Amino acid sequence: MTTVAAHRVPGRLGRFTLRTFRPQIYVTYGVLWVCALEGSAVALTGTPWRPTGATCVRAVSVVLVLLFLRMLDEQKDLEYDRVHHPERPLVTGAISAAELRGAMAVLAVVAAGLNAALSATAVLLVLAAFAHGLLAALLERVSAAVRDRQLLNLAVVCPVQVLLGCYVYGSTAAAGTVTADWRGAVLIVLCVCVFLHFEFARKTAWEAPPGARLYSADLGTGPSVLIVMGLVAGAVACQIVLFAADGGSLWPLSCLPAVLPLWGARRFSTARRGGWPLLPATGFVLGTHLALALQAVALR
């Protein structure tokens, strides 16, 4: 076992983060997700949304949880990466499991401390997301079925998205900014549909190399494509349920990014080879969250 000098650890962690947790993607996603969910919750009360210090705490907390999960994934995927991704930092020794575990502990403590300034409810909800990540990793370690079967693995891992949605909405309600009701559940389902669209899209391809972890390998390409587009339809349906009944003139704005998956589906079907184009899938995620946030700000 190689011992790393303490003064080198921050730099190694920084390089790991920049390589595997690209800020332009993950931080942007986390911030927009919080703004879309919190902003929409406030807008549904009939009040224009404006970011506050609490919004910043929620955004930072979500990003910290996402980084925590990325560090956890690096460890739990080690054996798979040794075969399929030998360039990964943990495989090459650019970072160690001990360094990652130490950083994960710090992330959890920092998130709990930040949310202590909001409410006890916020602390409990954000820690629930950290705890679920650890529980899911434990289940993957002890169960080959959870580890190797893509759909079962998704069923075990995906609830963290629900928990983060509950954290954002629940902490907003606990602050008295909104009154919790059924629309909160629909907002969370909307965000989960947007995330799962990207999750299925990035693991849908015409070919399945041996050992590849693809949903299309388990389900078939056709059914996987139907799920990708069904999740887009689910996200649009949630927006119609939430916003169309109020007669707001801006609600079609948040549905406009759904054009991107249609373009992606056309490109994928025409190519008949390779994987689902990630640009339109990413654009749908970022575009939907951005449009929801702008809609909340522009409410009259």
Side-chain angles (χ1 to χ4, degrees):
M1 180 181 295
T2 303
T3 302
V4 179
H7 70 275
R8 295 182 56 201
V9 172
R12 285 162 61 88
L13 286 169
R15 287 188 292 274
F16 168 85
T17 300
L18 290 175
R19 177 178 174 184
T20 67
F21 191 80
R22 289 170 289 176
Q24 66 271 30
I25 295 177
Y26 290 95
V27 175
T28 301
Y29 167 65
V31 171
L32 286 179
W33 180 13
V34 170
C35 291
L37 184 48
E38 180 189 307
S40 296
V42 173
L44 286 169
T45 68
T47 304
W49 170 71
R50 297 293 181 267
T52 64
T55 308
C56 295
V57 169
R58 294 181 188 111
V60 170
S61 297
V62 166
V63 171
L64 292 180
V65 173
L66 294 177
L67 178 55
F68 179 96
L69 296 174
R70 176 78 282 284
M71 291 177 170
L72 191 59
D73 284 344
E74 188 74 14
Q75 296 170 76
K76 71 183 185 182
D77 292 341
L78 179 58
E79 295 306 318
Y80 179 85
D81 288 341
R82 280 176 173 154
V83 176
H84 299 279
H85 301 290
E87 77 286 354
R88 299 295 301 180
L90 192 56
V91 178
T92 63
I95 199 73
S96 70
E99 290 170 284
L100 291 176
R101 288 193 292 268
M104 289 164 60
V106 171
L107 293 176
V109 170
V110 170
L114 288 172
N115 282 276
L118 299 183
S119 66
T121 299
V123 174
L124 292 174
L125 289 173
V126 78
L127 289 180
F130 285 108
H132 179 271
L134 293 173
L135 176 60
L138 177 62
L139 289 174
E140 287 190 45
R141 174 172 293 185
V142 301
S143 171
V146 172
R147 185 170 58 251
D148 298 330
R149 293 169 56 185
Q150 284 291 286
L151 292 176
L152 180 58
N153 182 268
L154 180 64
V156 169
V157 172
C158 185
V160 75
Q161 296 289 324
V162 178
L163 288 172
L164 283 173
C166 290
Y167 158 69
V168 174
Y169 186 82
S171 63
T172 305
T177 308
V178 301
T179 300
D181 59 21
W182 63 271
R183 294 176 296 182
V186 180
L187 274 172
I188 293 170
V189 171
L190 163 58
C191 292
V192 171
C193 283
V194 172
F195 164 77
L196 286 178
H197 158 76
F198 180 80
E199 171 66 14
F200 268 87
R202 75 186 184 94
K203 294 183 179 179
T204 294
W206 288 107
E207 305 90 9
R213 295 178 175 178
L214 299 175
Y215 297 116
S216 54
D218 292 343
L219 297 170
T221 301
S224 191
V225 169
L226 289 177
I227 291 174
V228 171
M229 299 310 297
L231 289 164
V232 175
V236 171
C238 287
Q239 293 172 71
I240 292 173
V241 167
L242 289 168
F243 304 115
D246 293 336
S249 60
L250 293 177
W251 73 265
L253 171 69
S254 58
C255 296
L256 191 59
V259 173
L260 294 173
L262 293 175
W263 172 48
R266 184 176 183 278
R267 284 185 57 191
F268 182 72
S269 299
T270 302
R272 307 293 296 181
R273 60 185 176 83
W276 190 281
L278 289 184
L279 182 60
T282 303
F284 174 66
V285 175
L286 299 180
T288 298
H289 287 136
L290 178 60
L292 286 169
L294 292 175
Q295 175 181 268
V297 169
L299 181 69
R300 296 192 180 118

